[in-house]
Amino acid sequence: MPLPSQPLRSLGFLTIGLFDGSDPGPGHRSTLDVIELGERLGFDSAWVRHRHLQYGISSPVAVLAAATQRTSRIQLGTAVIPLGWENPLRLAEDLATVDILSGGRLNPGVSVGPPIHFDRVKDALYPDTADAEDFSYTRVRRLLDLVRGEPASDFAGTEGIEAYADRVQPHAAGLSERLWYGGASLRSAEWAGANGMNLLTSSVVKAEESEDFAEIQLSHIRTFRAHHPEGERARVSQGLVVIPTDSATPEQRARYEAYAEGRRARTTAPQGPARMLFAPDLVGTSQEIADRLHAHAAFREVDEVAFALPFSFAHEDYVQILTDMATVLGPALGWRPAG
């Protein structure tokens, strides 16, 4: 049996928040119910994905604003907000507002690059400035500076009866220390470290130095920490799709295994011109999954995770998976529930 890694300190989960386009209310309420369940089970964090022009959460900040009013302890994160769709100043205002509402529990994760299918959406997204938009790390830098309280205007004072500030309001003290970068490449890992962010390692990576997923993820973690001011103490959260089956019905187990099998081909070799490699889905009993994680080179370097829930399962499946994660898998990894 592999030697265990260090005890898991922080256990989180990630959901895409699927909904029916003809009746979106139930799907959004299910997402909030799942986050509430996570808090009751003792999870340390709950994260939501971001999907534009799809049937998944298009406004994670709004969903998490609602979640702040249903929870009191669990950390709430985004994994990730693609900044190519956002104005950094307006996003900084929204993030600060939700962080204040949560009592300092927001963990925004972001990434950069042109929006997906940019040629098809640019006329709606940036009708006058599409050719001038900067989708580089500079966009993250703008967000970081604004959240940290750098000036957004050259005027502060009173004009008539109106008071104006020169920095984003409300200012959320401590929010900048909870900003994460979702990285899938060595370059992103290095940039995030050099700029003092936290790192969300992705379950999808670029096969740059290897075709072994664990080795690639490990290289990202070590590159990030080598460039971060806090070195080995810099925070990294590992992302993998994990499906424990301890309390699953036979029908659920069969469906989970079929789901993983249908996605297996993309985990065996890099995909497309960008050579993207996907992590294998981990399906099995909690002990089987724990053994695989203890043997995972990248998992052995971290003490916090955000395990991704599968995209297309039913609400009762998520209840079973999260319950097994918190009551069986987490303890097998040395984790203790909060509260």
Side-chain angles (χ1 to χ4, degrees):
M1 178 176 175
L3 293 174
S5 62
Q6 59 187 317
L8 187 64
R9 178 181 59 82
S10 178
L11 176 61
F13 66 91
L14 168 65
T15 178
I16 193 174
L18 284 182
F19 58 84
D20 183 339
S22 62
D23 187 16
H28 283 78
R29 288 189 290 273
S30 173
T31 296
L32 293 172
D33 289 343
V34 163
I35 293 172
E36 276 193 276
L37 173 64
E39 176 159 283
R40 292 197 302 273
L41 289 171
F43 278 88
D44 298 291
S45 62
W47 303 74
V48 292
R49 287 191 186 274
H50 201 150
R51 288 292 184 266
H52 287 296
L53 303 181
Q54 294 180 269
Y55 303 106
I57 295 170
S58 63
S59 182
V61 179
V63 170
L64 293 183
T68 68
Q69 305 306 293
R70 288 191 177 208
T71 59
S72 61
R73 174 198 55 78
I74 195 168
Q75 298 286 303
L76 303 169
T78 63
V80 291
I81 297 174
L83 290 185
W85 294 78
E86 305 287 342
N87 178 296
L89 173 55
R90 278 291 301 116
L91 181 60
E93 292 177 325
D94 287 347
L95 295 177
T97 299
V98 176
D99 193 50
I100 295 296
L101 290 172
S102 74
R105 291 185 285 134
L106 189 64
N107 285 256
V110 301
S111 67
V112 294
I116 191 169
H117 301 147
F118 186 52
D119 286 343
R120 298 176 180 178
V121 301
K122 64 182 181 181
D123 289 341
L125 185 60
Y126 297 114
D128 303 313
T129 62
D131 294 336
E133 292 292 332
D134 182 355
F135 298 126
S136 71
Y137 295 120
T138 301
R139 213 173 185 91
V140 193
R141 186 74 250 172
R142 288 168 57 197
L143 178 68
L144 280 171
D145 289 344
L146 291 164
V147 168
R148 288 170 176 167
E150 293 296 320
S153 169
D154 62 2
F155 172 71
T158 302
E159 192 174 75
I161 62 172
E162 301 285 347
Y164 292 89
D166 61 357
R167 65 177 183 169
V168 165
Q169 297 297 328
H171 176 67
L175 177 58
S176 63
E177 298 172 7
R178 285 177 270 113
L179 282 167
W180 298 73
Y181 191 83
S185 68
L186 284 167
R187 181 170 175 243
S188 290
E190 178 179 337
W191 188 92
N195 285 270
M197 298 184 75
N198 307 305
L199 180 66
L200 291 167
T201 62
S202 178
S203 59
V204 186
V205 297
K206 287 187 176 180
E208 297 170 287
E209 296 182 318
S210 168
E211 293 188 5
D212 179 278
F213 181 89
E215 289 182 2
I216 296 169
Q217 208 173 47
L218 176 64
S219 72
H220 293 173
I221 293 170
R222 290 183 172 173
T223 297
F224 166 74
R225 286 178 169 155
H227 290 85
H228 198 287
E230 296 187 10
E232 293 300 310
R233 292 179 295 123
R235 291 181 67 188
V236 178
S237 180
Q238 186 188 31
L240 295 169
V241 178
V242 171
I243 310 175
T245 60
D246 303 85
S247 66
T249 66
E251 185 275 334
Q252 284 176 313
R253 289 192 192 98
R255 186 152 34 83
Y256 299 167
E257 289 167 1
Y259 173 85
E261 183 59 34
R263 289 154 48 97
R264 193 177 309 281
R266 65 182 193 165
T267 72
T268 59
Q271 306 291 301
R275 290 179 54 79
M276 304 307 294
L277 186 66
F278 293 75
D281 301 324
L282 303 183
V283 182
T285 67
S286 287
Q287 190 56 60
E288 289 169 342
I289 293 173
D291 289 347
R292 291 181 68 181
L293 288 172
H294 285 147
H296 194 290
F299 179 81
R300 293 171 66 86
E301 299 268 326
V302 303
D303 65 358
E304 53 187 304
V305 296
F307 291 144
L309 296 174
F311 288 173
S312 55
F313 289 3
H315 182 83
E316 56 268 24
D317 297 332
Y318 297 138
V319 171
Q320 176 265 311
I321 291 169
L322 288 176
T323 301
D324 283 357
M325 273 190 198
T327 60
V328 190
L329 177 59
L333 297 172
W335 173 80
R336 295 184 178 182

